[in-house]
Amino acid sequence: MEAFQLLSRGGVKFDKKRFKTDVQLFSKDTPAATSEKISEGELPGELDYFKYAPGGSGKRKAEGDGTTAKALKKRKVEEDNEDEDEDEKHSDAEEEDEDANGTEETPSRPRQRVVTKGSDIPAHADTFSAMAERYQISSLLLSNLTANGYNDPTGIQSYGIPILLESRDLAAISPTGTGKTLSYLLPIMSSLRAPSSSANSDAGAGVRAVVVAPTRELAHQIHNECLKLAQGRKWRVVLFSKATAGTLADKSARDKVDIIISTPLRLVASIKSGGLELSNVRHLVLDEADRMLDAEFFPQVEEILAACSHPQIQKAVFSATLPANAEKMAMQMLKDPIRVVVGLKDTPLPLISQSLTYVADDPSKLPSILGYLAKPYNPPVLIFTSSQPRATSLAQELVLNGVSNVDCLHAGMTKKEREDAVSRMRRGESWVMVSTEVMARGMDFKGIREVVNYDFPTSVQSYVHRIGRTGRAGREGKAVTYFTDDDAPFLKAIANVLLQSGSTVPEWILKLPKPSKLKRRQMGKVKRAEIVNPARKIGRSDAIKKRDMIAGSKRRAARKPSPTAGVE
DNA sequence: AAAAAAC
């Protein structure tokens, strides 16, 4: 409710009921219906991460074009805002309300808070056609955009694409599900002009663009997005894997590759084996940058950076979260960077209604989730656990307790199992997906309506990314987080995140004292065993293969979830 | 603090 109160401020008309029925507003599958519905349920500026002004729909009043003196003045103010301090978020949020009042009538520009920092920042572009005109984006690329439902740029696209097209380095921070992938893919493909294989290419030999992402699944998804943009020309976009690494060992084949999408370790392995040459790479993107720069990944990223030796390389980092230390590292690897922050850093979308559920201790979680899934829910639901064995065992327990269409996905599974699980998810065959942190970042399953943190996330960043699997591209979402007594030391930090993004938190949680470092360390040491239902008679030794059970559950198709909101 | 990231 408080979220709605927040939504209602700023003098913007907002019909909640209507909006609720329009949760598919931004669906790329229904572009025709999009503009019509969007103009009816309006969001105030600070919550509007999407630019949805339907050019010429005539329903919205157009009173400015984003280049007014007021707009320019506002931009100046934004640029002067250093946004260095983590603690300033609340005051910023307050200011945004005024911003929303002042600028909400300009439909042709993104109206959410965008803060830019850096030298000679290129002007943002409000439409894809404006970008195309300014930067000579090919008509093919442009038509591929519209063919795939990209009609109007989101905030990060409006600001990020011009920056990248002017060959500047960029650190982009924009909430989950606001179109970061396109923000870097479009400029890469436009800058490359033509495939290496084409006759008029003067690109020189070798791979010219590299995108790194932390999981195979995400790399795969980025590759798919890239292929959509590549339609109609002979681009060679390679999803780097064991197999493709082999084919690229041949130099002549390698020189025909335009873009590589990869996980870091795969790339490093190929560099080290001498099979991969990155000295002609002109564009390097780190997606989920804070993850790529953390202790485990950074050594690999360093090697990739070293291998990309071309003096004119453009580098960009993207994420929804970028803690101070990661940002510092990012800024060091970038040259004269521009920093763009859309919305509030490290904050979930207000479209996701979040709640915290007390479950006392670990054994109490299973009855809670079974109760949750026994009631009507919005499939598919994504459930996060803290480890692979717990993901597997929870999936087993759900199946054994009669929950239908349960799937499991973690990195301990085979490549094929992982791929199958993702495609079941994409086809809408999974109603309940139990997973680990591997699914936390970047994955864009448009249908996900609910996220359950069965195990408490171990950082604010993890929380923000996990729940960001729902509420994508303007849809509403719901996120439930279980917490036990053991989770208390981190509870307050997460509770503050809920507050920040317009959800409510029980009073007593906010009154919790700030936990000591020691306590937090202890909390981290809490070991959670596999999930077993003591009430159930069947033992773990029944030696039923998990996948058989899951397949069986599909055949049984027992309890059907009754969706409470409109399903596609 | 755990999971993830090759072969």
Side-chain angles (χ1 to χ4, degrees):
Chain A
M1 269 308 111
E2 228 168 68
F4 176 53
Q5 277 157 20
L6 191 75
L7 287 166
S8 315
R9 288 208 312 262
V12 182
K13 250 203 267 161
F14 184 76
D15 181 344
K16 194 200 179 192
K17 219 194 209 156
R18 171 170 273 153
F19 186 74
K20 187 137 189 145
T21 65
D22 288 344
V23 285
Q24 295 304 311
L25 285 183
F26 300 86
S27 169
K28 294 204 169 76
D29 313 321
T30 55
T34 305
S35 55
E36 190 67 18
K37 290 183 175 177
I38 280 164
S39 53
E40 293 175 7
E42 294 185 7
L43 287 163
E46 78 271 32
L47 305 181
D48 179 13
Y49 294 88
F50 303 90
K51 194 181 105 45
Y52 45 63
S57 92
K59 283 214 168 187
R60 299 170 56 91
K61 16 177 190 136
E63 290 163 17
D65 61 1
T67 55
T68 58
K70 188 169 73 177
L72 287 175
K73 191 174 155 225
K74 182 173 161 285
R75 260 185 79 211
K76 179 78 174 70
V77 171
E78 285 167 348
E79 281 158 23
D80 290 344
N81 180 351
E82 291 290 284
D83 192 27
E84 296 284 19
D85 192 348
E86 300 284 323
D87 297 328
E88 68 171 323
K89 283 172 184 170
H90 260 300
S91 58
D92 276 354
E94 293 302 318
E95 284 164 28
E96 278 162 41
D97 273 336
E98 290 173 34
D99 265 5
N101 282 330
T103 58
E104 78 79 29
E105 71 275 11
T106 59
S108 59
R109 60 185 287 261
R111 299 162 307 147
Q112 73 281 17
R113 172 185 186 267
V114 179
V115 180
T116 54
K117 187 169 120 185
S119 63
D120 306 316
I121 298 166
H124 62 269
D126 304 327
T127 62
F128 287 123
S129 51
M131 293 175 196
E133 205 171 306
R134 205 194 290 170
Y135 300 107
Q136 289 88 51
I137 297 172
S138 75
S139 56
L140 180 72
L141 206 43
L142 212 55
S143 65
N144 282 346
L145 279 182
T146 42
N148 288 288
Y150 295 106
N151 294 315
D152 294 287
T154 63
I156 189 57
Q157 290 161 2
S158 287
Y159 282 76
I161 292 173
I163 290 167
L164 291 175
L165 284 171
E166 293 198 17
S167 302
R168 296 291 301 275
D169 280 11
L170 170 67
I173 301 154
S174 184
T176 54
T178 58
K180 291 188 285 292
T181 308
L182 185 74
S183 303
Y184 58 74
L185 287 182
L186 178 64
I188 286 175
M189 304 207 62
S190 186
S191 303
L192 295 184
R193 311 294 346 168
S196 294
S197 53
S198 71
N200 58 349
S201 170
D202 55 355
V207 184
R208 289 181 295 156
V210 171
V211 177
V212 259
T215 63
R216 276 189 211 149
E217 282 75 14
L218 184 52
H220 197 286
Q221 179 181 289
I222 295 164
H223 183 241
N224 285 345
E225 283 301 301
C226 203
L227 292 181
K228 288 180 193 168
L229 293 179
Q231 273 159 26
R233 288 205 81 167
K234 285 182 181 155
W235 292 102
R236 271 216 65 193
V237 186
V238 174
L239 175 60
F240 220 41
S241 68
K242 204 168 149 188
T244 46
T247 64
L248 296 194
D250 173 20
K251 190 181 181 304
S252 60
R254 200 164 62 223
D255 289 350
K256 294 282 188 292
V257 173
D258 299 294
I259 303 171
I260 285 181
I261 323 275
S262 180
T263 50
L265 207 49
R266 178 62 265 174
L267 219 44
V268 169
S270 290
I271 295 167
K272 279 187 170 161
S273 74
L276 185 64
E277 177 69 57
L278 296 181
S279 58
N280 198 33
V281 171
R282 310 299 176 92
H283 308 271
L284 175 65
V285 175
L286 302 186
D287 205 346
E288 307 299 342
D290 50 338
R291 179 76 181 89
M292 305 314 302
L293 295 171
D294 75 13
E296 291 88 344
F297 269 128
F298 186 60
Q300 300 161 32
V301 169
E302 268 187 314
E303 294 211 40
I304 295 164
L305 283 168
C308 295
S309 54
H310 199 282
Q312 278 150 43
I313 188 169
Q314 173 188 48
K315 298 180 209 115
V317 303
F318 281 77
S319 187
T321 56
L322 198 60
N325 54 343
E327 177 163 344
K328 213 170 139 192
M329 294 170 77
M331 290 313 190
Q332 279 166 8
M333 61 164 266
L334 301 177
K335 197 177 80 194
D336 188 20
I338 296 171
R339 175 184 186 263
V340 175
V341 181
V342 178
L344 298 175
K345 201 172 91 166
D346 301 342
T347 303
L349 289 167
L351 278 168
I352 307 169
S353 75
Q354 309 158 59
S355 61
L356 298 168
T357 303
Y358 177 65
V359 289
D361 54 13
D362 196 59
S364 312
K365 289 178 181 175
L366 186 60
S368 297
I369 194 75
L370 288 171
Y372 185 85
L373 296 174
K375 283 180 283 197
Y377 64 93
N378 293 322
V381 175
L382 181 57
I383 301 176
F384 283 102
T385 62
S386 62
S387 73
Q388 295 179 6
R390 281 176 67 81
T392 306
S393 53
L394 178 57
Q396 286 175 339
E397 286 299 338
L398 294 181
V399 168
L400 289 170
N401 284 280
V403 180
S404 302
N405 296 345
V406 176
D407 257 298
C408 181
L409 176 47
H410 59 68
M413 293 159 53
T414 67
K415 199 176 173 223
K416 183 170 187 316
E417 286 171 335
R418 287 169 71 168
E419 282 169 1
D420 289 348
V422 169
S423 55
R424 281 196 295 273
M425 200 67 196
R426 297 236 183 262
R427 289 196 301 263
E429 293 169 16
S430 296
W431 290 352
V432 178
M433 165 66 84
V434 186
S435 191
T436 60
E437 215 55 27
V438 72
M439 283 288 101
R441 284 174 177 262
M443 294 312 294
D444 188 40
F445 299 114
K446 292 197 175 58
I448 291 182
R449 300 283 187 71
E450 300 186 6
V451 170
V452 178
N453 286 314
Y454 188 86
D455 292 329
F456 206 71
T458 50
S459 69
V460 166
Q461 286 75 28
S462 164
Y463 177 77
V464 170
H465 285 279
R466 280 178 175 193
I467 72 163
R469 293 321 94 209
T470 187
R472 299 184 72 80
R475 291 178 184 79
E476 289 185 326
K478 186 180 158 190
V480 176
T481 300
Y482 289 177
F483 68 98
T484 66
D485 295 327
D486 291 332
D487 300 320
F490 267 131
L491 186 56
K492 202 180 178 185
I494 302 297
N496 284 332
V497 175
L498 268 81
L499 277 188
Q500 193 88 231
S501 46
S503 287
T504 52
V505 173
E507 191 84 8
W508 67 268
I509 292 180
L510 299 172
K511 285 183 179 150
L512 287 173
K514 198 177 173 175
S516 67
K517 267 230 163 89
L518 184 81
K519 245 191 154 177
R520 266 184 282 177
R521 226 171 278 145
Q522 284 167 347
M523 177 247 158
K525 295 216 174 87
V526 172
K527 279 273 176 285
R528 298 189 188 99
E530 288 194 18
I531 297 149
V532 186
N533 185 357
R536 194 170 43 76
K537 290 287 183 319
I538 311 161
R540 190 126 311 272
S541 57
D542 281 291
I544 310 167
K545 274 258 182 236
K546 178 202 81 208
R547 287 183 59 210
D548 296 342
M549 292 193 294
I550 289 172
S553 87
K554 277 184 192 128
R555 265 177 259 119
R556 282 198 299 279
R559 219 160 31 217
K560 228 188 169 144
S562 17
T564 53
V567 189
E568 297 92 308

